[in-house]
Amino acid sequence: MTATVLTQPFARAEYDDRLRRVRERMAERGLGCLIATDPANMNYLTGYDGWSFYTPQCVVVPLEGDVRLFTRQMDANGARLTTYLGDDEIHGFPDDFVQQRDRHPMEWIADELTRHGLLDGAPVGLEMDAYFFTPRAYEALRARVPRVEFTDAQELVNWVRAVKSPAEIELMRAAARIAEKVMRAGIDAIEPGVRQCDAVAAIYDAQVRGTPETGGDYPAIVPMLPTGEGTSTPHLTWTDDPFVTGEATILELAACRRRYHCPIARTVFLGEPPRKLTETAAITVEGLDVALGAVRPGATCEHVEAAWREHIARHGLEKSSRIGYSVGIGYPPDWGEHTMSLRPGDTTVLEPGMAFHMILGMWMDDWGFEASETFVVTESGAECLCSFPRELTVKR
Amino acid sequence: MTATVLTQPFARAEYDDRLRRVRERMAERGLGCLIATDPANMNYLTGYDGWSFYTPQCVVVPLEGDVRLFTRQMDANGARLTTYLGDDEIHGFPDDFVQQRDRHPMEWIADELTRHGLLDGAPVGLEMDAYFFTPRAYEALRARVPRVEFTDAQELVNWVRAVKSPAEIELMRAAARIAEKVMRAGIDAIEPGVRQCDAVAAIYDAQVRGTPETGGDYPAIVPMLPTGEGTSTPHLTWTDDPFVTGEATILELAACRRRYHCPIARTVFLGEPPRKLTETAAITVEGLDVALGAVRPGATCEHVEAAWREHIARHGLEKSSRIGYSVGIGYPPDWGEHTMSLRPGDTTVLEPGMAFHMILGMWMDDWGFEASETFVVTESGAECLCSFPRELTVKR
């Protein structure tokens, strides 16, 4: 097997820098080793990109020494093709460990980790809230190496991801060029009598076709397209019912480039919109401006949310849920990074290079409105990645 | 809030029957209550369908009494719109529990379960290997109600799902009609010089547009399209590199109707295929026939695999990984049901109504071939849901 590598999105030096920053935090927390199971963190650390997270896998970072990747044997070639790791650093567990009652792949992985001395000494950090790292996997690991001290690494790698490099922001900008086309395709497709699925087909086509320069990858979340009464809740997908005059549709979409996301949400109304909707839309869009205007290095996440909250309160509105979150690399089911949220109590200080999806979803009893922007914190404020009208689109 | 329900795919009686069968197994195992966190199981039990599994959620089935659904507050309306549950049976946790370091939604859920007496008495079954039930969620739950006895329910609901009703098979047949169009779109799009992403755009369009009668939903797995050397490994997605003459591309695709899947895999070659590929393809396609011919009620999963294994051994080939798995409802990252596998050691006896994806992936050092069929076990054998040529497609 040759060690061919598909073109990686970053220079090796960038991966080295990521590892350096991860190890700094590991040292601060006294971790001897970190087991990263979140596919986004695995990608960040090694470049690994494959739809293999439905069986156990992890990237293991010792404080010193080689980084190793563990996955199912049939996916080891995928790791060879997408990462900078050498053959000796990629370990595939045999297929007869998959979905068996009497054994678990984490047992095999624990044995390999032991064999390479990776569990000796200081506590081993685990990503205790990573999707796909299940309680059964956790218990299998602990039972196999009962003397090893494990600890919750919290979102250690996620926090390192929070500040993006220029190369990462460039990928998010490429995603934004696609996202604009995606939203345009969606809004154009929504007409009375058109089936929801046909509009979503146009959206998917735009997401993946991308631009002539850069194709699109699959976003971590499918197109959300609640319509009519469905706009009262954010996470319904589509049916094959037709769009009808007199109803709003919320489009919560995104584009993705090399796993980097640019989400965007807008709302469209077919026919003459009710006044409560147009008024809420206007207040929300103004609020988006106000909140973006509060973004600057040194401000806190909760400070940005407070600007929004004060604005809508003046208009008699309130919103109980957060208005944004850190965004970047993502795999299903989420493009959020699970670190900063724009909400009361989040005192994280904004730094240049942080990226957020600010999403103002106003969900009422049986109607709703959404508008969002993905932005990067700059030296002086917020750079919105997309250029797309924020107002309620009315198609009469 | 009215209790509007979007059209559910099944009559209420079918949901009642599912619950009855789940409770029978619960009683056999001495479970007083089951907490289902797998989105596919939640859908099976209640009809719930929303992209909300990135925050904690569950369906709770007591041995007697009301079924309850727990999700994030903003998603409660989605549950009202897609399930038969009444407002009192849907519980939304406040947004300030989302992704916080000092609290976890499972604590709120544990309190509600306690308040409703759902954790009293007999052991509570948990889905310890469900993708979105994390160790942190598990520990938060246990810490909140330390006296409650929890036990791994294994794949209890998954096993109830194994035998499909006629209404479920009807949805899989509808998915098959779409899957045929999807594979046709994919094969048609692959030409020298065409970007991979443009072919995938055509595939997505076909997946979601469906047929004039039935639109398509998002499959649980994105289109897999390994090409060239990438065909040596199964789970790579696409790039924007062009297809080139002299290379094979494996298409591992699916269609989905109301969360029911029909996967299909085929292989295409641009130009004159090498003999090792055409020979392996011919043996594999014959083996597909042989293995399907071994399917009948009363046979075991391993019996079906043995027929395949003997066939390829006669031609000097071997395959270390399983050749199929139970399929039906699915959410990302998997459309497999995590119950039966067609492999040595799986002695599950086939019954009419069981459905499998039989996938013959032959991954060599730097090339590969795949063909698959989704089939339902009938009274007398296997009914393949798709009608699509299985041979290597050669485009000269």
Side-chain angles (χ1 to χ4, degrees), chain B residues 297-309:
Chain B
T300 62
C301 287
E302 67 176 1
H303 166 88
V304 174
E305 198 269 352
W308 150 263
R309 183 178 294 265

Side-chain angles (χ1 to χ4, degrees), chain A residues 1-2 4 6 29 49-54 72-75 77-78 81-82 95-96 98-101 104 128-139 142 152 154-155 159 195 197-198 200-202 204-205 208-209 211-218 220-222 224 229-230 232-238 240 257 320-322 332-334 338 341 343 363-365, chain B residues 1-2 4 6 29 49-55 72-75 77-78 81-82 95-96 98-101 104 128-139 142 152 154-155 159 195 197-198 200-202 204-205 208-209 211-218 220-222 224 229-230 232-238 240 257 320-322 332-334 338 343 363-365:
Chain A
M1 181 67 210
T2 53
T4 311
L6 294 174
R29 299 221 205 140
D49 185 26
W51 190 284
S52 55
F53 35 89
Y54 67 93
R72 189 178 178 185
Q73 197 165 53
M74 68 169 67
D75 295 310
N77 272 354
L81 289 166
T82 60
D95 211 65
D96 60 2
V98 174
Q99 296 165 13
Q100 299 275 21
R101 285 216 172 181
H104 195 283
M128 292 286 281
D129 214 28
Y131 306 117
F132 319 120
F133 182 50
T134 66
R136 196 181 294 163
Y138 173 54
E139 294 203 333
R142 288 213 308 185
D152 190 343
Q154 300 284 347
E155 280 61 39
W159 280 100
R195 297 187 308 171
C197 58
D198 292 331
V200 175
Y204 265 120
D205 186 283
V208 177
R209 204 172 290 279
T211 70
E213 295 76 34
T214 57
D217 298 313
Y218 61 90
I221 306 181
V222 297
M224 303 285 192
E229 196 180 7
S232 64
T233 185
H235 298 126
L236 298 183
T237 51
W238 60 90
D240 35 8
R257 174 68 182 162
S320 61
S321 44
R322 63 181 182 175
D334 200 6
H338 298 190
S341 290
R343 64 180 164 194
W363 304 293
M364 308 308 183
D365 269 0
Chain B
M1 180 68 209
T2 52
T4 311
L6 294 173
R29 298 220 205 143
D49 185 24
W51 190 283
S52 55
F53 37 89
Y54 66 94
T55 54
R72 187 178 178 186
Q73 198 165 53
M74 67 168 67
D75 294 311
N77 273 354
L81 289 165
T82 60
D95 211 67
D96 60 1
V98 174
Q99 294 164 14
Q100 298 275 21
R101 286 218 171 178
H104 196 283
M128 292 288 280
D129 215 28
Y131 292 118
F132 308 113
F133 183 48
T134 65
R136 195 182 294 164
Y138 174 53
E139 294 204 331
R142 288 213 308 186
D152 191 343
Q154 300 285 347
E155 281 62 38
W159 280 100
R195 298 187 307 172
C197 57
D198 292 331
V200 175
Y204 265 122
D205 186 283
V208 178
R209 203 173 291 277
T211 71
E213 295 76 34
T214 56
D217 297 313
Y218 60 91
I221 304 180
V222 298
M224 303 286 190
E229 197 181 7
S232 64
T233 184
H235 298 126
L236 297 183
T237 52
W238 60 91
D240 35 8
R257 173 69 181 164
S320 62
S321 44
R322 63 180 182 177
D334 199 5
H338 298 190
R343 65 179 163 195
W363 304 293
M364 308 307 182
D365 269 1

Side-chain angles (χ1 to χ4, degrees), chain B residues 268-279:
Chain B
V268 61
F269 195 90
L270 299 178
E272 201 57 52
R275 193 162 153 184
K276 63 182 181 185
L277 176 58
T278 55
E279 285 178 358

Side-chain angles (χ1 to χ4, degrees), chain B residues 44-294:
Chain B
Y44 186 74
L45 293 167
T46 68
Y48 182 60
D49 185 24
W51 190 283
S52 55
F53 37 89
Y54 66 94
T55 54
Q57 55 178 22
C58 55
V59 164
V60 179
V61 182
L63 204 53
E64 293 176 8
D66 295 336
V67 171
R68 293 172 188 275
L69 188 147
F70 295 82
T71 187
R72 187 178 178 186
Q73 198 165 53
M74 67 168 67
D75 294 311
N77 273 354
R80 291 190 182 96
L81 289 165
T82 60
T83 73
Y84 59 76
L85 299 172
D87 280 11
D88 293 349
E89 293 146 5
I90 296 167
H91 305 264
F93 61 79
D95 211 67
D96 60 1
F97 277 87
V98 174
Q99 294 164 14
Q100 298 275 21
R101 286 218 171 178
D102 60 345
R103 77 204 84 149
H104 196 283
M106 283 311 289
E107 296 167 2
W108 189 92
I109 292 172
D111 290 350
E112 287 294 300
L113 292 173
T114 303
R115 195 162 71 82
H116 291 284
L118 288 161
L119 302 178
D120 301 344
V124 175
L126 297 176
E127 298 185 329
M128 292 288 280
D129 215 28
Y131 292 118
F132 308 113
F133 183 48
T134 65
R136 195 182 294 164
Y138 174 53
E139 294 204 331
L141 173 64
R142 288 213 308 186
R144 193 71 168 191
V145 286
R147 291 187 198 171
V148 174
E149 184 186 346
F150 291 103
T151 183
D152 191 343
Q154 300 285 347
E155 281 62 38
L156 189 151
V157 181
N158 307 51
W159 280 100
V160 171
R161 284 162 50 201
V163 175
K164 272 74 181 169
S165 72
E168 290 182 287
I169 293 170
E170 213 40 63
L171 288 178
M172 293 182 72
R173 287 203 188 97
R177 296 293 76 71
I178 302 172
E180 291 159 354
K181 294 170 82 88
V182 168
M183 184 55 74
R184 178 51 55 207
I187 290 178
D188 284 353
I190 293 174
E191 291 287 352
V194 169
R195 298 187 307 172
Q196 295 175 26
C197 57
D198 292 331
V200 175
I203 289 166
Y204 265 122
D205 186 283
Q207 283 178 323
V208 178
R209 203 173 291 277
T211 71
E213 295 76 34
T214 56
D217 297 313
Y218 60 91
I221 304 180
V222 298
M224 303 286 190
L225 215 68
T227 189
E229 197 181 7
T231 57
S232 64
T233 184
H235 298 126
L236 297 183
T237 52
W238 60 91
T239 69
D240 35 8
D241 290 338
F243 296 102
V244 297
T245 301
E247 292 203 338
T249 300
I250 290 173
L251 300 101
E252 197 171 321
L253 308 175
C256 178
R257 173 69 181 164
R258 313 256 3 212
R259 307 310 321 139
Y260 283 81
H261 285 76
C262 180
I264 180 171
R266 294 290 185 270
T267 306
V268 61
F269 195 90
L270 299 178
E272 201 57 52
R275 193 162 153 184
K276 63 182 181 185
L277 176 58
T278 55
E279 285 178 358
T280 298
I283 297 161
T284 304
V285 169
E286 275 175 31
L288 188 49
D289 254 342
V290 169
L292 287 167

